[in-house]
Amino acid sequence: MDVPGPIRVLLADDHPVLRAGVKYLLQSDPQFVVVAEAADGEAVLRLLEQEAVDVLVIDLAMPGMGGLQCIKEIKARGLPVKIVVFSMYGDEQYIKEALRAGALAYVEKEAVDKELLAAVRAASRGRFYLNQGRMQNLLGALLLDKEQVDPRDPYQVLSAREREVLRLIARGYSLTEIGELLSLSVKTVETYKSRIMQKLGFCKKSQLIAYALEQGVLGAREL
């Protein structure tokens, strides 16, 4: 489904000259308007709370909070923005990590003129975008990875941050204390807790703690 009116874009990259070039490219098409710019992940999160944004175009390598961590935080907070990664890295591992974190599209910087507009347009409609060669390679790799995860072990579906929150809950920390330890808002910690319980199939905190103890999450099991 198309976004009504111009597609509102937040552009995040720590190189001002590159941002200016990409902004010019996007706004050369009347379908796009760059409503804000950011140089790091923290600024992205602040702007998403302030601006109405349809699509975030974000680099992975930025100072402070990098692009991948920022994407994960966006998803944890439930912010309704579609994400396009725009990166110099073409390694498939980076692409897989970005897609797993919640990006819909991945474009390499060397292909900016050919693919970025198409990627932003596709993402705004909720569609994935990779160039054809990348798509074929990654579909096979992602399916193989999925087969290698043991479906009998729900712990494997938890992200690293979710495992960290689970460990702290099991140790008796309150949500406020967890937020202070991890530099997260209480609302974000509550979201992590809800996601953990949903993924593990629990409805009570006591079940969560019992599971953590059973799995050795308090210290023996690697987070």
Side-chain angles (χ1 to χ4, degrees), residues 1 6 10 12 28 34-35 56 80 93 103 158 176 185 188 193 209:
M1 183 176 182
L10 168 56
S28 67
V34 176
V35 296
L56 166 64
Q93 187 59 38
L158 299 181
T176 300
S185 68
T188 299
K193 179 186 174 184
I209 294 174

Side-chain angles (χ1 to χ4, degrees), residues 27-48:
Q27 297 196 151
S28 67
D29 186 321
Q31 189 175 10
F32 306 104
V33 57
V34 176
V35 296
E37 300 176 46
D40 56 61
E42 290 88 350
V44 169
L45 296 174
R46 289 194 301 271
L47 287 166
L48 288 177

Side-chain angles (χ1 to χ4, degrees), residues 1-9 30-33 52-55 80-82 120-127:
M1 183 176 182
D2 291 343
V3 174
I7 297 170
R8 299 168 63 85
V9 179
Q31 189 175 10
F32 306 104
V33 57
V53 177
D54 300 310
V55 179
V81 63
K82 308 299 192 302
V120 174
R121 190 174 292 111
S124 73
R125 298 168 180 168
R127 300 175 184 172

